[in-house]
Structures are given as structure tokens and as C-alpha cells.
Amino acid sequence: MKQMNWLKRIGGTIMLPLAMFVVMFILCYANGKTYYGTLPMWRIVLSDTAVAASCALGIGLQFKSGRFDFSGGAIMLLTAIVAGHVAQDMAGNNLGVFIILCLAISVVLSIIVALVYVYGRLPIVIATIGMALLYESITCIAFNGAGAKYVANMTLNVFSSFPLALVPLIASVVLYAFYSYGTVTGKEAQLLSNNQQSAVNIGINEKKNVFISYVYSGLIFGFATMIYATKAPHDASFTSLSTAGELFSNILPVFIGLMLAGFCGDLIGTIMGALTLSLLSYSLAAIFTAEMGSAISTVITGLFILVLNVVAGQGAGWIASIKKVFKNSSRAMA
């Protein structure tokens, strides 16, 4: 019985990425893309998964605490711009300076968001949208709006490809796991998300909880920025809330992680969600042209998440109905 339970948990954990790989393998080979499934393909997919999963963990840490934070994308962009330019132009292309600045700046920017939320007494959505707009405006003037364009910098971009892309991901996983399961604050966060007023009434210090959680999410965003900053060029945000797209694309693995939590917990579920979506994005980009692939990828990803949510919410009811139909048919035949 225990062995069957473990098999069920393992099967539930890998079912989505495995199903996605099989379906996309067939589609790619049908369109002549025979490199799908090769080692170079997996190197790209795993590096994409690393940045998506690490960013998702930073968003998910606040999300599981009942806070939907819109500032994550802006924090990563501003951190990438400042850390990259200082390390490249002022510190002699120093990778150590780049790493330290990514972590330090992300934590400082995250703590400022926490300060505005706690002492501004604003709803979390209003506070974080306001801070996202502020940070985006700074990207337009920082280093003359040059953005973050370090793809060709062979020193700073070491974390943008496999296997070193896994280093920031592993660090993010360790931080997320330690916060969730190894700290009192992480356990209190779950109580606050379930019923904030009741949690405060039993003595939980919400302000302290908010600041500590933002330090952890800031560190995770810092690790994510090490990959994000050099994986592709990023322009300064000249359009309001342009970084929200980064937020929403990377929160999708969090939703999948919550669905898979019953099999493997939200941490592993989020990583499986990031892997699933990376397989989908890579496949669609391979099958279609660059412009068409991007548009179709957005549409299909949205439909995939919609269908997944419907199945997760209604699947048990459908299965029960099917069993009932078969049971009634068996009785009628008898």
C-alpha cells in the first residue's frame, strides 16, 4: 500500500512535464524539427526553467502568504540594470561584484516595498503597483536608460546557460524551503494567508512577518536576476507596468505548483510547472516563426492554464459522475 502511494505521488508529480514532452515531441517531429529531445534542446530548456522557477519562487513566497505582489518584475529589471552596469563599467567586469549587487539591491528594493505596504497602510495591490511604477521610472533614467544588455559579456553571463544556471535555482530552492519549513515566520505566513485577523489576534506580529518574508523573496529575486539579467537583452521600462508581463508569465508555474501540491508540495510543484511551460514555449518557438510563435505561445499558454484549472477544480466531480454512470449501467445489465 505504501509503495502504491509513493508511485501515485511520483506519477502525479511528473505527469504534466512528461505529457507535455510527449505531445510536443510528436508535433515537432511531424514538422521536421528532429532536434527536439536532443541534449542541446535540454540545455536551453533547463536554463529557461531555472530563471522561470527561481522568479516564480520569489513571487510564490509572497503569494502563499496571501500577498499578490506586482513589484517583482520591476525589482528584477532595476536590479539587473544597476548591478550589471556597476560590475561591468565600474568594477572591471567583476562577477563577484555582480552577484553581491544582485542580492543586495533586490533585498533593499524589496524591503522598501515592505515599508510602503506596512507603514503606508495601503492594500497590497495598490502598494506594489505604485512601487512597480516607481522602480520602472528609475530604469528610464538609470545609466541614461541603457537597460540591461550583457548577453555578449562572457564574464557576467555565466549563469545564463546550463549547467551554471542551476546554481541560482538551487540557491532559490534552498531559501524557499528553509523559509517555508524551517522558520517560524514561514509557518506563521500560512496562518496569515488563511485568516489574517485571527492570526493577528492570537499574537502573530504581522509587520515582522512581512519584513522577514520580503528579505527572503528579495534574496530569491536576486538569484533569479543573475540568470535573467544576462539571458536576453532587456530595455528600460518606458511603458507603465511593462514589467507586469514578466510577473504574470512567471506566476503561472506558481498556479501549477499549487495544483500539484497534493502530490509533491508547492516547491517541487512550482519547478515542475516551470519545466512544463518551458517545454511548451520552446516547442512552439521551434514549430512557428519567431513572431507567430510568440503570439501563439501566449494564447496556448493561457488556454493550457485555463484548462488545467478547470480540470483541477472539476476533475473529481467528473470522475465521480463517470463512475456513477458505469455503476448504473452495470446494474441495468444485471
Side-chain angles (χ1 to χ4, degrees), residues 186-245:
K187 295 169 184 175
E188 289 177 346
Q190 191 61 48
L191 295 175
L192 285 166
S193 67
N194 291 335
N195 192 318
Q196 184 182 42
Q197 190 57 52
S198 296
V200 172
N201 290 341
I202 64 174
I204 292 177
N205 188 328
E206 186 187 6
K207 291 182 180 179
K208 178 182 175 182
N209 185 284
V210 169
F211 282 116
I212 293 176
S213 70
Y214 268 94
V215 169
Y216 276 92
S217 65
L219 286 169
I220 293 174
F221 280 134
F223 283 117
T225 303
M226 293 178 197
I227 316 171
Y228 165 83
T230 58
K231 191 165 181 60
H234 302 285
D235 293 322
S237 181
F238 292 102
T239 304
S240 296
L241 288 182
S242 62
T243 57

Side-chain angles (χ1 to χ4, degrees), residues 69-293:
D69 191 328
F70 283 83
S71 64
I75 287 173
M76 288 177 60
L77 177 60
L78 182 54
T79 299
I81 292 172
V82 177
H85 278 284
V86 171
Q88 178 179 263
D89 304 333
M90 302 179 186
N93 227 25
N94 192 305
L95 181 62
V97 171
F98 176 68
I99 293 172
I100 293 170
L101 286 177
C102 281
L103 296 173
I105 295 171
S106 289
V107 170
V108 170
L109 295 178
S110 296
I111 290 175
I112 294 172
V113 173
L115 284 168
V116 171
Y117 169 55
V118 170
Y119 293 106
R121 299 183 181 275
L122 298 169
I124 187 65
V125 172
I126 301 301
T128 56
I129 286 179
M131 294 308 297
L133 290 170
L134 175 62
Y135 291 157
E136 286 178 349
S137 67
I138 296 174
T139 68
C140 299
I141 59 176
F143 299 95
N144 297 317
K149 298 174 183 177
Y150 322 114
V151 178
N153 189 315
M154 302 307 292
T155 301
L156 300 186
N157 72 3
V158 294
F159 295 117
S160 65
S161 58
F162 183 86
L164 288 182
L166 298 182
V167 174
L169 173 60
I170 292 170
S172 300
V173 168
V174 170
L175 271 175
Y176 186 93
F178 179 73
Y179 172 81
S180 300
Y181 310 114
T183 66
V184 174
T185 305
K187 295 169 184 175
E188 289 177 346
Q190 191 61 48
L191 295 175
L192 285 166
S193 67
N194 291 335
N195 192 318
Q196 184 182 42
Q197 190 57 52
S198 296
V200 172
N201 290 341
I202 64 174
I204 292 177
N205 188 328
E206 186 187 6
K207 291 182 180 179
K208 178 182 175 182
N209 185 284
V210 169
F211 282 116
I212 293 176
S213 70
Y214 268 94
V215 169
Y216 276 92
S217 65
L219 286 169
I220 293 174
F221 280 134
F223 283 117
T225 303
M226 293 178 197
I227 316 171
Y228 165 83
T230 58
K231 191 165 181 60
H234 302 285
D235 293 322
S237 181
F238 292 102
T239 304
S240 296
L241 288 182
S242 62
T243 57
E246 200 74 41
L247 169 81
F248 285 111
S249 63
N250 287 313
I251 202 172
L252 298 180
V254 178
F255 294 150
I256 297 176
L258 294 174
M259 295 175 203
L260 297 179
F263 297 107
C264 55
D266 60 301
L267 173 56
I268 297 176
T270 298
I271 296 172
M272 291 297 104
L275 176 59
T276 301
L277 295 175
S278 294
L279 286 167
L280 176 62
S281 297
Y282 182 92
S283 307
L284 295 176
I287 295 171
F288 300 102
T289 60
E291 295 80 8
M292 185 67 73

Side-chain angles (χ1 to χ4, degrees), residues 277-333:
L277 295 175
S278 294
L279 286 167
L280 176 62
S281 297
Y282 182 92
S283 307
L284 295 176
I287 295 171
F288 300 102
T289 60
E291 295 80 8
M292 185 67 73
S294 177
I296 292 177
S297 177
T298 301
V299 173
I300 293 181
T301 300
L303 289 173
F304 173 71
I305 296 297
L306 175 62
V307 171
L308 203 60
N309 274 284
V310 171
V311 171
Q314 304 297 326
W318 292 343
I319 292 172
S321 299
I322 293 170
K323 286 182 177 178
K324 186 176 180 180
V325 170
F326 276 104
K327 189 175 181 180
N328 291 337
S329 298
S330 300
R331 287 177 178 175
M333 292 177 65

